[in-house]
């Protein structure tokens, strides 16, 4: 298990900017300048030029994937398609029963596809250690999305722009002859969780499941917690990412795993708990006698990690076991809804 966990040193480049950015989100409320502070794509230095790690540096095969958005922006992403040869070439790769009896194409289509939406700091290359866990341990196809204005992708980031980017990534998968046959799982950290929720709310029949870590109910609602003195000016935040209003649009049959760091110093744990309450209510039906839950519809799980901060929840004991179990159980049709504290 230890071999799958990303080291804090390796992961630091991608997470350092999150702390620097959210701690200054109040300054971002200056209406015309907030995009530059909410989306610090050039920090740490080099994140838009030479410091864009590639999967091959981690001994992972991959394809450079260029996606053209509907508004003409080129996104330069990474695609890691599965291969049954991994069991023979990577000692860390988990064997899949029956893989030797399948062709390469059949094996790709038999595995889930994870779409990774990262936090607001650094670039997608800084999250390769996380992709490695999905790729080798869970044997998933992995699409690492590079938002506009991040990494080597063109353009400038914004809420509308990232929404287009996410839709472009999903459209690529659903139009691909192989990935379109796979269950599509969205994995979002921090603002990437908001991107995931938004995408799933607009494509309810195309998403098999969501995994959300340390995300928020909305950006304006985060301001009073992060910077209490600027709370009265939160209305100036035009980058909304209003996840709380979008979760009800995701079907109650769509499994959701929520992973919350109780010690998160940037996004208070109350945000994840509030989102969990909305997630848990997806199966509500109104009756003459009040409210009752539609039995058998809710498939969600909420987990808290007592020592998890905003940037290190993903290395807490039990995190990846929970993710791996969730991915493995997606084929289970039995309803599951529980709350766990670690």
């Amino acid at each position: 298990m230890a071999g799958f966990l990303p080291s804090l040193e390796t992961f630091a480049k991608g997470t350092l900017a999150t702390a620097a950015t959210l701690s200054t989100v109040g300054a971002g409320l200056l209406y015309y300048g907030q995009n530059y502070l909410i989306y610090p794509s050039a920090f740490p230095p080099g994140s838009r030029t030479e410091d864009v790690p590639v999967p091959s540096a981690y001994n992972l095969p991959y394809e450079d994937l260029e996606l053209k958005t509907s508004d003409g922006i080129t996104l330069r992403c990474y695609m890691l398609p599965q291969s049954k040869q991994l069991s023979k070439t990577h000692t860390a790769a988990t064997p899949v029963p029956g893989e030797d009896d399948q062709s390469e194409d059949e094996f790709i289509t038999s595995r889930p596809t994870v779409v990774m939406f990262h936090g607001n700091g650094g670039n997608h290359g800084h999250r390769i250690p996380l992709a490695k866990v999905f790729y080798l341990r869970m044997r998933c196809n992995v699409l690492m999305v590079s938002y506009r204005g991040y990494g080597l992708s063109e353009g400038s980031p914004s809420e509308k722009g990232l929404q287009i980017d996410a839709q472009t990534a999903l459209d690529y998968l659903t139009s691909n002859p192989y990935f379109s046959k796979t269950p599509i799982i969205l994995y979002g950290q921090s603002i990437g969780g908001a991107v995931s929720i938004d995408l799933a709310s607009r494509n309810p029949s195309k998403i098999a499941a969501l995994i959300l870590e340390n995300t928020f109910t909305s950006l304006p609602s985060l301001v009073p917690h992060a910077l209490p003195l600027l709370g009265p000016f939160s209305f100036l935040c035009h980058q909304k990412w209003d996840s709380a209003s979008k979760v009800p649009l995701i079907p109650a049959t769509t499994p959701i795993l929520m992973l919350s760091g109780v010690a998160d110093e940037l996004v208070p744990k109350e945000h994840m708990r509030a989102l969990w309450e909305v997630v848990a209510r997806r199966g509500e039906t109104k009756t003459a006698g009040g409210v009752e839950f539609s039995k058998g519809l809710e498939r969600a799980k909420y987990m808290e990690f007592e020592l998890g901060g905003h940037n290190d929840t993903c290395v807490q004991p039990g995190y990846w076991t929970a993710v791996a179990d969730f991915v493995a159980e997606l084929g289970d049709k039995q309803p599951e809804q529980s709350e766990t504290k670690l």
Side-chain angles (χ1 to χ4, degrees):
M1 177 63 191
F4 289 104
L5 291 177
S7 69
L8 285 177
E9 179 179 358
T10 301
F11 192 61
K13 288 184 178 179
T15 58
L16 177 62
T18 303
T21 303
L22 288 183
S23 66
T24 60
V25 71
L29 294 177
L30 296 173
Y31 189 82
Y32 293 104
Q34 65 186 260
N35 278 27
Y36 297 100
L37 293 165
I38 293 173
Y39 311 104
S41 57
F43 189 82
S47 293
R48 289 283 284 136
T49 52
E50 71 277 0
D51 186 19
V52 185
V54 295
S56 57
Y58 294 81
N59 197 28
L60 298 177
Y62 77 105
E63 300 172 3
D64 282 314
L65 178 65
E66 289 195 356
L67 300 176
K68 183 71 73 171
T69 68
S70 59
D71 57 346
I73 299 296
T74 298
L75 308 178
R76 295 183 171 90
C77 310
Y78 297 149
M79 186 74 226
L80 286 69
Q82 268 302 318
S83 170
K84 65 179 188 178
Q85 299 303 317
L86 284 179
S87 297
K88 301 177 178 64
T89 59
H90 285 70
T91 57
T94 301
V96 176
E99 61 182 306
D100 290 336
D101 300 326
Q102 297 177 299
S103 68
E104 281 292 311
D105 293 346
E106 289 172 338
F107 186 69
I108 289 174
T109 60
S110 72
R111 305 307 301 159
T113 297
V114 173
V115 187
M116 294 182 62
F117 295 116
H118 64 77
N120 69 335
N123 58 54
H124 67 314
H126 296 142
R127 277 71 180 192
I128 295 172
L130 307 184
K132 185 176 182 179
V133 185
F134 283 114
Y135 189 65
L136 293 182
R137 181 182 180 187
M138 301 175 219
R139 300 299 297 278
C140 296
N141 306 298
V142 182
L143 172 53
M144 302 185 70
V145 176
S146 177
Y147 309 131
R148 64 183 61 204
Y150 280 80
L152 301 180
S153 294
E154 298 175 349
S156 299
S158 67
E159 180 174 12
K160 181 179 179 180
L162 267 62
Q163 290 171 337
I164 294 174
D165 298 345
Q167 187 65 54
T168 300
L170 179 61
D171 291 345
Y172 164 76
L173 292 176
T174 56
S175 63
N176 183 279
Y178 305 113
F179 303 124
S180 61
K181 300 176 183 178
T182 71
I184 297 175
I185 303 168
L186 308 183
Y187 173 71
Q189 296 177 295
S190 192
I191 205 167
V195 176
S196 299
I197 290 170
D198 176 81
L199 183 63
S201 72
R202 292 185 286 107
N203 300 270
S205 65
K206 298 178 181 179
I207 305 304
L210 292 88
I211 302 171
L212 308 172
E213 179 204 308
N214 291 341
T215 192
F216 41 80
T217 55
S218 73
L219 273 182
S221 67
L222 181 62
V223 175
H225 295 281
L227 293 166
L229 294 179
L230 292 175
F233 304 100
S234 60
F235 67 91
L236 292 174
C237 188
H238 56 69
Q239 299 293 290
K240 303 298 185 183
W241 290 114
D242 190 359
S243 294
S245 69
K246 296 172 183 176
V247 166
L249 302 177
I250 301 173
T253 50
T254 301
I256 298 178
L257 174 62
M258 303 186 68
L259 305 163
S260 175
V262 175
D264 191 328
E265 67 283 7
L266 300 173
V267 178
K269 61 184 180 295
E270 287 78 14
H271 279 254
M272 282 289 281
R273 290 177 176 175
L275 279 178
W276 164 248
E277 292 178 3
V278 180
V279 167
R281 290 199 300 266
R282 287 179 301 158
E284 281 185 353
T285 56
K286 302 293 183 180
T287 66
V291 176
E292 67 178 28
F293 283 89
S294 300
K295 302 298 182 182
L297 291 182
E298 298 82 6
R299 300 185 66 191
K301 187 172 185 179
Y302 174 83
M303 300 184 69
E304 289 187 342
F305 299 85
E306 292 290 349
L307 301 181
H310 191 71
N311 296 328
D312 64 4
T313 296
C314 65
V315 297
Q316 296 303 308
Y319 180 99
W320 287 106
T321 296
V323 173
D325 289 346
F326 178 76
V327 171
E329 293 168 3
L330 285 178
D332 186 358
K333 301 302 181 182
Q334 297 300 314
E336 178 180 326
Q337 181 173 329
S338 61
E339 182 170 350
T340 304
K341 180 174 288 190
L342 298 182

